[in-house]
Amino acid sequence: MSVPSSRKITQILRAELDKLVTLSLTWLTLMGAFILNLLLAAAFTSVGLQGAAGTQSILNIGLSSMGYLQAGFIILGILATCSEYTGGQIRTTLTTIPWRGFQLSTKYLALAIITVPMAFIIAASGVLYTFIMMRDTAVVIEIDTMIEALVGATGYLTLTTLLSAAIGALLRRTTPALVILLGYYFIVSPLSRDFLPSIKNYFPDTAGSYMYMPPSSDKINALTVMQGTGITMLWTVIFITVAIVFYRKRDA
């Protein structure tokens, strides 16, 4: 099968963006994540106001909701790839766009284009709320420090979304994908930190936390920001590659 031209690739990307933008569940999920993040930020800030807060603690409090916020982006990634299998829309897609590898790759690109700005806005809302509420009791945050943390949080949420989308493409069903991923992120991974301490930092969510939260001095195997980013990105690339390979070989 011939490789699509640059014009075709642009058209495929536009089509994938249109599908995500017109999918109501995309915006409902993002809106829910935004509201949840503000509610959690308010709760964590209220607790933080009871103690002394320095520059770093403001970022810690403002980003404390990340562990819960990632659920919204996990759902977003799964919906992006599984929604087409509902009602057989995937058959229409593959009939119109026969280049399977390019089609799925551009879907991930389109998903990233939407996720990056939304992840930044949502993550920043929590930090901004915390900063506003604690500005009279804390040291002023260095802009560079805040930007680095928000960029890391945005990168982590984007990679988590893409990894979830890859799992969704492999399973092709929303409910099993949700059960597996949410079960891993909220049950298996937290338990593994106690039972598998020697390798916990190499799991995608644990490694990803170092992208936006500086490791504590009491952590023995703490990773750097670049190491955390590299490990999380590696997990994402592996699952995306496997998803594309299976997508090209099996029936819709």
Side-chain angles (χ1 to χ4, degrees):
M1 184 177 293
S2 61
V3 177
S5 64
S6 58
R7 182 178 179 182
K8 285 288 187 180
I9 294 176
T10 302
Q11 292 174 342
I12 295 172
L13 178 59
R14 185 181 298 113
E16 293 300 331
L17 279 171
D18 287 342
K19 282 189 288 186
L20 289 174
V21 169
T22 56
L23 183 65
S24 60
L25 289 176
T26 297
W27 303 110
L28 288 175
T29 302
L30 290 171
M31 186 181 301
F34 180 79
I35 295 173
L36 174 64
N37 188 55
L38 284 181
L39 291 175
L40 290 173
F44 288 124
T45 300
S46 178
V47 174
L49 285 171
Q50 299 176 15
T55 300
Q56 185 55 53
S57 64
I58 287 182
L59 286 176
N60 285 334
I61 294 170
L63 294 173
S64 292
S65 60
M66 286 288 291
Y68 304 96
L69 177 60
Q70 65 185 351
F73 288 85
I74 291 170
I75 295 171
L76 175 63
I78 292 173
L79 290 175
T81 49
C82 291
S83 60
E84 284 197 88
Y85 289 94
T86 303
Q89 183 185 355
I90 187 65
R91 296 184 178 87
T92 303
T93 297
L94 294 178
T95 300
T96 306
I97 309 173
W99 304 282
R100 290 193 174 201
F102 282 101
Q103 186 267 323
L104 188 57
S105 297
T106 53
K107 179 182 288 292
Y108 293 135
L109 178 57
L111 182 59
I113 290 173
I114 290 177
T115 302
V116 168
M118 296 307 300
F120 183 85
I121 291 171
I122 294 174
S125 67
V127 175
L128 181 61
Y129 177 88
T130 302
F131 173 70
I132 291 174
M133 298 301 295
M134 304 183 74
R135 65 184 183 276
D136 296 330
T137 60
V139 178
V140 177
I141 298 177
E142 292 291 338
I143 188 66
D144 291 344
T145 302
M146 182 175 66
I147 290 177
E148 287 177 5
L150 290 177
V151 168
T154 300
Y156 172 69
L157 292 175
T158 301
L159 290 174
T160 300
T161 303
L162 294 175
L163 189 152
S164 302
I167 299 295
L170 284 170
L171 298 178
R172 301 187 290 182
R173 296 293 180 270
T174 303
T175 302
L178 283 174
V179 171
I180 290 174
L181 280 171
L182 294 179
Y184 164 74
Y185 276 90
F186 292 95
I187 299 176
V188 176
S189 182
L191 290 175
S192 70
R193 294 167 192 170
D194 295 325
F195 295 103
L196 300 172
S198 61
I199 63 173
K200 64 178 181 178
N201 287 329
Y202 299 98
F203 294 153
D205 56 326
T206 306
S209 66
Y210 291 100
M211 294 174 65
Y212 57 90
M213 296 290 266
S216 301
S217 58
D218 60 345
K219 291 184 179 180
I220 299 176
N221 297 316
L223 303 175
T224 65
V225 173
M226 293 306 297
Q227 288 172 331
T229 301
I231 293 172
T232 308
M233 189 175 295
L234 181 61
W235 278 102
T236 304
V237 170
I238 289 173
F239 275 104
I240 286 178
T241 302
V242 173
I244 291 175
V245 170
F246 275 84
Y247 190 69
R248 294 183 62 184
K249 292 183 177 295
R250 65 189 180 187
D251 296 332

